[in-house]
């Protein structure tokens, strides 16, 4: 059994490959997220949240339900693909993580299985952000 080589991709190549793999999913999509903040600049809901407008932010998240990626996810879930996310959380919880938990309400409504774990409970694992497609292809996220 040969192990495929590791390839580092520039952002555009990474996004293209990620989308290809996502569109070809047949069974499962598993994602581990460990950072406590991601660059969501330009996302209207996140920008509203960062500006202190929580209600507006949540209202905008509700509108995100109509976004293409949500519809694509729902289509894959309807075909039997399992979407699972594990979110590693530090204490104290960051504002970003609070906002992200609000956004998970939409994702879970679309069939994503989301779990959170305290970092202190998994720090011995030395986790980093990655996604596994159909249990076969692992992409590590290097931000």
């Amino acid at each position: 059994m040969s192990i495929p080589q590791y390839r580092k991709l520039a952002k555009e190549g990474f996004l293209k490959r990620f989308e290809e793999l996502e569109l070809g999913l047949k069974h499962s999509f598993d994602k581990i997220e460990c950072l406590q903040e991601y660059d969501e600049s330009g996302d209207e809901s996140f920008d509203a949240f960062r500006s202190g407008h929580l209600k507006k932010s949540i209202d905008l998240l509700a509108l995100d339900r109509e976004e293409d990626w949500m519809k694509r996810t729902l289509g894959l879930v309807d075909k039997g693909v399992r979407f699972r996310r594990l979110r590693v959380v530090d204490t104290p919880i960051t504002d970003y993580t609070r906002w992200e938990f609000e956004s998970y309400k939409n994702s879970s409504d679309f069939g994503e299985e989301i779990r959170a774990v305290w970092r202190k409970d998994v720090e011995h694992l030395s986790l980093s952000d990655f996604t596994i497609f159909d249990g076969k292809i692992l992409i590590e996220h290097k931000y």
Side-chain angles (χ1 to χ4, degrees):
M1 174 178 166
S2 66
I3 298 174
Q5 287 187 314
Y6 173 84
R7 290 185 298 149
K8 185 174 182 172
L9 300 173
K11 185 177 180 177
E12 288 180 16
F14 173 87
L15 294 173
K16 181 180 178 194
R17 182 67 176 138
F18 193 94
E19 184 175 1
E20 288 170 358
L21 291 168
E22 187 178 39
L23 290 172
L25 283 169
K26 295 184 179 7
H27 308 287
S28 61
F29 175 95
D30 298 292
K31 190 169 189 179
I32 305 272
E33 295 179 324
C34 299
L35 296 178
Q36 299 310 293
E37 187 156 336
Y38 297 87
D39 184 4
E40 300 280 349
S41 300
D43 180 289
E44 285 184 81
S45 174
F46 182 69
D47 292 342
F49 180 79
R50 288 295 268 221
S51 298
H53 304 279
L54 181 59
K55 180 169 178 356
K56 179 180 179 183
S57 173
I58 293 169
D59 290 345
L60 288 167
L61 282 172
L63 295 175
D64 282 351
R65 295 171 66 93
E66 299 304 315
E67 293 294 321
D68 289 340
W69 72 269
M70 284 282 198
K71 291 178 181 178
R72 185 170 66 236
T73 299
L74 184 58
L76 289 168
V77 168
D78 287 345
K79 291 181 188 176
V81 174
R82 291 185 71 186
F83 278 76
R84 296 176 290 220
R85 179 186 313 255
L86 178 64
R87 183 69 168 90
V88 178
V89 180
D90 285 346
T91 55
I93 295 174
T94 66
D95 288 343
Y96 177 88
T97 301
R98 284 187 184 92
W99 172 79
E100 192 173 44
F101 284 175
E102 286 293 329
S103 74
Y104 288 164
K105 292 175 185 176
N106 283 339
S107 300
S108 64
D109 285 349
F110 278 85
E112 187 173 358
E113 300 168 43
I114 303 164
R115 304 290 182 267
V117 61
W118 296 114
R119 182 175 306 278
K120 67 178 179 62
D121 294 333
V122 295
E123 62 191 354
H124 63 283
L125 298 175
S126 299
L127 294 172
S128 63
D129 284 30
F130 62 87
T131 302
I132 302 173
F133 298 85
D134 285 330
K136 297 177 183 176
I137 299 172
L138 182 141
I139 293 185
E140 184 177 15
H141 303 257
K142 294 283 190 178
Y143 302 99

